[in-house]
Amino acid sequence: MRALELLKGAQDKPVPPKSGISREPSPIPPERHPSERKEPEVPEVEELPEIDPDCVFVYYDRDGDGRLSKDEFLSALRALGACPNTADFEDVCQKLGSNLDHKALHEAWKKLFRQRPTSDKLIAQFRGLSQEGMIDKNVLRFLATNYGERLNEDEVNELLKLAKPDSDGQINVEHLANALMPALPQAHKHK
């Protein structure tokens, strides 16, 4: 999801504390060279969810020519549960060439779905920005509109609606992570 991409870009950027908040700010980790940063481990998903990629392909192949445009291809991958960032998506498209057909969708889905982040990884991305597991909605809005793939106003409003801030404008990071990265449908072995 785009929200995860923007968090990757902002993970180690310090956010100034909002005035008027009485909580002690969490310590900001020292800046490290990108090669020294340790990404949280993402367990590889061995089983693909019980989703029929053939149906998804047919749905997005609106003109029935047996091929998808890049935008349709990305939408189909997302509908199948993959959450590729821009670089991974471009890499897959470059390797597959311009023929984004049914076979290409299957191949890309198998690769990109296994890279799907978990809610635990998303929580880890927020760790340096949250205080006691909470993040201010204005901080989330700032991150979403200024880092990574910037969200537009409608997308930010949708994100905040999903985040369900409390009456003080605080967002429970664990709730947000679980809402953005819900449990997958029952999995089965995919050949």
Side-chain angles (χ1 to χ4, degrees), residues 97-154:
S98 61
N99 190 22
L100 301 176
D101 61 7
H102 181 267
K103 183 179 176 184
L105 180 64
H106 276 267
E107 189 176 324
W109 177 48
K110 286 180 187 178
K111 178 181 187 220
L112 295 172
F113 185 82
R114 286 182 168 80
Q115 297 173 356
R116 185 180 197 269
T118 63
S119 60
D120 290 338
K121 181 171 182 176
L122 188 55
I123 291 167
Q125 295 287 330
F126 274 110
R127 192 163 285 127
L129 302 170
S130 65
Q131 298 174 359
E132 299 172 13
M134 304 293 279
I135 187 169
D136 186 272
K137 73 177 183 179
N138 293 322
V139 171
L140 184 59
R141 177 181 292 279
F142 180 81
L143 292 172
T145 57
N146 290 286
Y147 291 98
E149 284 190 39
R150 293 172 175 95
L151 302 183
N152 65 38
E153 193 63 30
D154 289 337

Side-chain angles (χ1 to χ4, degrees), residues 16-98:
K18 184 178 171 187
S19 62
I21 293 180
S22 60
R23 293 185 216 165
E24 287 291 317
S26 58
I28 298 172
E31 284 295 317
R32 293 186 180 142
H33 188 273
S35 65
E36 295 173 3
R37 291 186 189 136
K38 206 171 193 184
E39 289 284 328
E41 287 188 33
V42 178
E44 186 168 310
V45 178
E46 294 186 21
E47 297 178 344
L48 296 172
E50 196 171 307
I51 301 172
D52 186 356
D54 299 331
C55 290
V56 173
F57 182 85
V58 169
Y59 178 81
Y60 285 98
D61 183 22
R62 305 264 172 151
D63 60 5
D65 67 352
R67 291 191 315 262
L68 301 176
S69 69
K70 276 179 84 171
D71 287 339
E72 293 168 334
F73 194 69
L74 178 59
S75 295
L77 286 169
R78 288 180 174 162
L80 288 167
C83 302
N85 62 34
T86 304
D88 289 341
F89 177 71
E90 290 299 328
D91 182 52
V92 164
C93 287
Q94 186 177 23
K95 288 178 183 172
L96 294 172
S98 61

Side-chain angles (χ1 to χ4, degrees), residues 18 21 23 131-138 140 159-173 175-176:
K18 184 178 171 187
I21 293 180
R23 293 185 216 165
Q131 298 174 359
E132 299 172 13
M134 304 293 279
I135 187 169
D136 186 272
K137 73 177 183 179
N138 293 322
L140 184 59
L159 176 64
L160 291 175
K161 185 177 177 182
L162 184 67
K164 298 180 181 173
D166 65 16
S167 60
D168 295 329
Q170 296 296 305
I171 296 167
N172 181 306
V173 171
H175 168 79
L176 176 61

